[in-house]
Amino acid sequence: MFANLRAEIILVLTTLLAAAGWVFSKQAIQGLPPFGFIGLRFVTASLILLPFCLPALRRASLGDILRSMGVGVFLGGSIFCWIYAIAISDTLGEGAFIMSLSMLFVPLVAWPLFGNKPSRAFWTSLPIAIVGLFLLAWNGEWRVAASQLWFLLAAVGLAMHFNFNSQYSAKLPPMLLTTLQLFTTGCLGLLLSYAVEDWPQVVSGETWKWFGLSVLLATSLRYLMQTVGQKHANPTNAAILMLLEPVWTMLLSVWIYSESMPLNKIVGCVLLLSSLLLYRISNLRR
């Protein structure tokens, strides 16, 4: 009982770190190019996690390693869409709720890819999510912001990553899998930054502080805590607790960036959260 409670507390703290990562990233890209920031952040985080999975790395086959890194390309594509959306948006809370829909998109993506038809729970939850998205985009008139589309694209990318990850990367331990895919994303970010971005001549100490917080707290420590928490927590409780991330992100965005949350956006966020809650609970009871 105590072990389960401790694991659930760890998962709650994990969602707080994930939410804080949105703020750390937003602050860091004020002084660093977005793709370059992602590249440095994920490569550094993967090197910090590497000592924890060296034994597993030595036992892994080259084919499994390359396959997992290949799947990491989908993670990279999603993260690049996400960081670009953050760069052009002041509504982090709204973006976090859109990104949380990635788990609802998983069965929709799996249907054409692998022929797995979505469950009844999916079709029940989807209309609720659509209404929620409509309310987020409603501002006296129907107007979809560019950042919302990029967040939505990032969510679809995460759903694709989840599907391919489940199909092709099950042979590796979670920590090693995470480290390899973070490293892949980081390398792709650095290559993309080299191709399309200009770096500033001088980067302030304040920017490096936010970068350090992103690496140490929002990436390395977060993934380590998530692995530990999910290992010991009840799967049902763990899945529900992970839904707290967009809630914390919205609260932080309102507090730090004075994000406007009119009634339609509040109702939209509640509907998105409700659709995810309904979908997860229905699936876990099967």
Side-chain angles (χ1 to χ4, degrees):
M1 173 70 80
F2 178 74
N4 285 340
L5 178 60
R6 183 175 62 181
E8 289 171 5
I9 292 173
I10 289 173
L11 286 177
V12 171
L13 294 175
T14 299
T15 61
L16 270 170
L17 286 178
W22 286 69
V23 176
F24 298 158
S25 299
K26 181 70 174 177
Q27 295 297 115
I29 61 176
Q30 304 304 309
L32 288 171
F35 301 138
F37 161 71
I38 288 296
L40 285 177
R41 171 183 171 179
F42 278 63
V43 166
T44 306
S46 67
L47 294 177
I48 292 173
L49 292 176
L50 182 61
F52 295 98
C53 53
L54 276 177
L57 180 62
R58 295 190 185 100
R59 293 192 298 268
S61 70
L62 179 60
D64 286 338
I65 291 173
L66 293 177
R67 194 176 300 112
S68 299
M69 294 179 74
V71 174
V73 172
F74 291 100
L75 176 63
S78 172
I79 294 296
F80 300 147
C81 291
W82 171 77
I83 195 64
Y84 181 72
I86 285 183
I88 63 174
S89 173
D90 293 321
T91 55
L92 299 187
E94 176 183 304
F97 275 95
I98 295 174
M99 285 290 292
S100 68
L101 287 176
S102 59
M103 287 300 100
L104 192 58
F105 291 154
V106 167
L108 195 60
V109 171
W111 193 2
L113 287 178
F114 306 113
N116 301 326
K117 291 185 178 180
S119 64
R120 181 180 298 178
F122 169 81
W123 296 115
T124 304
S125 305
L126 184 61
I128 302 173
I130 291 173
V131 175
L133 284 172
F134 175 83
L135 289 173
L136 283 182
W138 180 258
N139 188 21
E141 60 180 347
W142 174 253
R143 183 185 301 169
V144 180
S147 61
Q148 293 173 332
L149 293 176
W150 283 105
F151 280 128
L152 198 60
L153 189 59
V156 173
L158 275 185
M160 292 186 65
H161 170 258
F162 185 91
N163 275 290
F164 283 105
N165 213 28
S166 300
Q167 289 285 329
Y168 303 121
S169 305
K171 294 182 179 179
L172 295 180
M175 183 62 72
L176 176 58
L177 182 60
T178 298
T179 301
L180 290 172
Q181 295 190 359
L182 290 179
F183 182 74
T184 302
T185 299
C187 290
L188 289 174
L190 291 176
L191 287 173
L192 185 59
S193 178
Y194 178 78
V196 303
E197 291 180 331
D198 294 320
W199 282 68
Q201 294 293 324
V202 177
V203 178
S204 69
E206 183 75 8
T207 297
W208 287 121
K209 179 192 77 173
W210 293 113
F211 172 80
L213 290 172
S214 297
V215 171
L216 296 174
L217 298 185
T219 310
S220 301
L221 183 59
R222 169 205 170 179
Y223 280 109
L224 185 60
M225 289 175 64
Q226 185 170 328
T227 301
V228 172
Q230 289 182 334
K231 182 178 181 180
H232 298 287
N234 176 282
T236 303
N237 294 344
I240 294 172
L241 287 172
M242 295 307 291
L243 295 177
L244 287 172
E245 178 184 344
V247 177
W248 299 134
T249 305
M250 181 186 71
L251 293 175
L252 286 174
S253 186
V254 170
W255 177 37
I256 297 173
Y257 299 112
S258 301
E259 178 177 342
S260 174
M261 291 299 295
L263 182 60
N264 63 293
K265 288 193 175 185
I266 293 174
V267 174
C269 290
V270 170
L271 287 176
L272 290 179
L273 192 62
S274 299
S275 69
L276 289 169
L277 200 57
L278 174 62
Y279 176 69
R280 289 203 173 189
I281 291 176
S282 298
N283 274 341
L284 290 168
R285 285 178 175 175
R286 292 174 63 190

